[in-house]
Amino acid sequence: MGVPVRNTESVVSPVVEAWATYRTSSAADWPTRRLLRAKGDSRVSVVLPAHNEEATVGAIVSTIREHLVDRVPLVDELIVVDSRSTDRTAQVARAAGAEVVSQDAMTHGLPQLTGKGDALWAGLAAAEGDVVAFVDADLREFRPHFVTGLLGPLLTDPSVDFVKGFYHRPLIGTTGVEADGGGRVTELMARPMLNLFWPELAGFVQPLAGEYAGRREVLAQVPFVSGYGVETAMLIDLLELVGLDALAQVDLGERKHRHQDTAALGRMSAQIMLTVWSRLQRRGWASPDVLPSALLTQFRRGGSEALPNLDREIVVSDVTVEERPPLAELRHRLPRRRVAAA
C-alpha cells in the first residue's frame, strides 16, 4: 500500500487574490486635480503623530502645506500631535505651518497612556475632517503623493472606508543597501501571525505601515492600542467592523526613515503579539482566563551590571499594551477646544 503524498503546491487564496487585484492601486493613479474634483464638500485632515521628530517634521509639514493646502486646496486641516517631545518638534512643526496639539491636552481627564497609538487617538480626536490621513513624522525625502495616494480611493469610491499604504523600505547597512530589508517585524512576526488567524488580511503588503487613511466616523468606532500594536489591531478590528471589501491599499513607492535596532524590534514584536492575543481572546480563540506575561527579558552585551558567566546585562522591559476605547464612546469627555502644544 503506497504512502499518501501531500500536495505541496501552494496557491493564493481566491479571496486574497481577488481583493488584491480589485482593491490595490498606485499613488500615480490619483492625480491631485482629480481628487480635488472628487472631494466635493468633504473635509480632509492630515495628522502626524510626533515624538522628538524636529529633524524631519518640518520638511513634511512644509511639503503638505505648499502642495496640498496652498497650491491645491485638497487638505483642509494639517495637525501635528506633540507626543511629549523633549526637543523642538512642536516649534518646528508650527513654524512650518501645522496646527500643533498636545497629546496630553487632547486626552485630559482620561487615564494617561503612552506610545504611538495614543497619539494617533488624540489626533483623531482633534481632527474635524470627514477623511483623516495619518502620516509618520520621521519620513525623509517626503513627497505629496504619500497623502494623495491614501486619499484617492476614499474620495472617489464611497464603498472604501480605509486605505493602507505600502512601499519599498530600503535598509542601509554596513555592507550596502537591502532594497526591501526594512520590514523585519512584518516579515518575521506580523505577517505569519495574521496569515494564521486572519488569512483574509494576507493580501496587505505592509500591514504595519504607518501611513493610512480612513473615514472619520469609521475610525471613531474602533479602539486604539496605545503601543506598537496599533496598526495590527486597527486592521483586525476594521476587518470585523466593515469587512474586507471596504479596505484598500495603495503603492506609495519608496519610504525612507530611520530604523530601530534589533532589541527595539523585539519589544515592538512583543507588543504586537500581546495585541493579537487580546483579539484572539475576544473571538474566543484563546482562554479568557490566561494572561500572557508582559515582561520581556533581553540581553545586552557588556554593561556595568553584566553577569559574570554571561558577559551580558539582563534587561527586562514592560511591553504592556493598553487601549483607548473607540472615540465615539468618549467624545463627550474630551475638551471642547483644542489646547495647542507649547
Side-chain angles (χ1 to χ4, degrees):
M1 183 175 179
V3 177
V5 177
R6 183 178 179 182
N7 182 5
T8 59
E9 182 180 357
S10 299
V11 294
V12 178
S13 158
V15 172
V16 170
E17 184 175 21
W19 176 84
T21 301
Y22 177 55
R23 286 304 196 196
T24 301
S25 61
S26 169
D29 298 331
W30 310 111
T32 305
R33 294 291 178 180
R34 177 187 174 190
L35 297 186
L36 186 62
R37 291 192 297 270
K39 176 185 174 184
D41 295 330
S42 298
R43 287 180 55 81
V44 173
S45 301
V46 176
V47 174
L48 284 74
H51 173 70
N52 291 343
E53 303 293 0
E54 67 171 303
T56 50
V57 70
I60 298 172
V61 169
S62 295
T63 299
I64 296 173
R65 187 91 200 175
E66 176 186 353
H67 293 274
L68 304 179
V69 177
D70 298 334
R71 187 176 299 179
V72 177
L74 183 65
V75 173
D76 302 286
E77 191 175 46
L78 179 52
I79 299 171
V80 169
V81 181
D82 182 20
S83 182
R84 303 173 192 141
S85 297
T86 56
D87 64 0
R88 298 182 63 255
T89 291
Q91 297 93 317
V92 170
R94 188 178 294 109
E99 177 181 0
V100 179
V101 300
S102 161
Q103 175 180 337
D104 289 333
M106 287 309 306
T107 59
H108 179 71
L110 303 176
Q112 188 175 83
L113 303 183
T114 60
K116 177 184 177 183
D118 194 50
L120 292 168
W121 193 94
L124 181 62
E128 297 178 352
D130 304 293
V131 173
V132 181
F134 295 103
V135 177
D136 280 348
D138 67 341
L139 303 188
R140 295 183 286 110
E141 301 181 24
F142 179 85
R143 297 291 182 268
H145 73 265
F146 268 71
V147 174
T148 54
L150 296 174
L151 296 178
L154 289 162
L155 294 179
T156 60
D157 187 345
S159 69
V160 174
D161 288 327
F162 180 79
V163 178
K164 190 86 168 178
F166 69 93
Y167 24 66
H168 296 290
R169 296 177 64 190
L171 178 63
I172 302 174
T174 55
T175 59
V177 178
E178 187 178 348
D180 285 301
R184 291 165 287 172
V185 174
T186 293
E187 298 305 327
L188 295 174
M189 199 277 300
R191 191 185 311 285
M193 191 85 73
L194 290 174
N195 275 260
L196 279 172
F197 299 111
W198 291 275
E200 307 99 310
L201 297 175
F204 279 94
V205 178
Q206 245 137 19
L208 302 186
E211 282 65 52
Y212 40 87
R215 302 195 187 281
R216 191 175 186 282
E217 71 270 15
V218 172
L219 294 172
Q221 295 180 57
V222 296
F224 278 53
V225 171
S226 61
Y228 284 109
V230 60
E231 280 85 15
T232 304
M234 192 177 295
L235 272 185
I236 295 169
D237 295 345
L238 286 171
L239 174 67
E240 296 180 353
L241 178 68
V242 298
L244 182 63
D245 189 55
L247 312 180
Q249 63 180 349
V250 173
D251 186 350
L252 300 178
E254 185 174 83
R255 183 188 201 266
K256 295 182 179 180
H257 65 116
R258 70 173 184 272
H259 295 280
Q260 302 194 55
D261 60 33
T262 303
L265 296 180
R267 294 187 291 273
M268 183 188 303
S269 297
Q271 288 197 318
I272 294 170
M273 292 177 73
L274 287 173
T275 300
V276 168
W277 182 270
S278 70
R279 268 60 193 168
L280 294 176
Q281 285 183 315
R282 293 177 189 181
R283 278 200 161 196
W285 294 351
S287 172
D289 301 322
V290 176
L291 295 178
S293 172
L295 297 179
L296 176 65
T297 299
Q298 296 175 299
F299 296 90
R300 182 164 53 209
R301 185 173 182 176
S304 59
E305 299 181 13
L307 298 182
N309 295 330
L310 290 176
D311 190 31
R312 292 166 174 82
E313 285 184 328
I314 293 179
V315 181
V316 178
S317 303
D318 186 347
V319 292
T320 300
V321 291
E322 300 177 275
E323 298 187 21
R324 288 283 184 212
L327 178 64
E329 297 179 7
L330 294 178
R331 170 55 70 186
H332 64 287
R333 295 183 56 184
L334 297 181
R336 289 183 179 274
R337 291 187 178 183
R338 300 184 198 146
V339 181

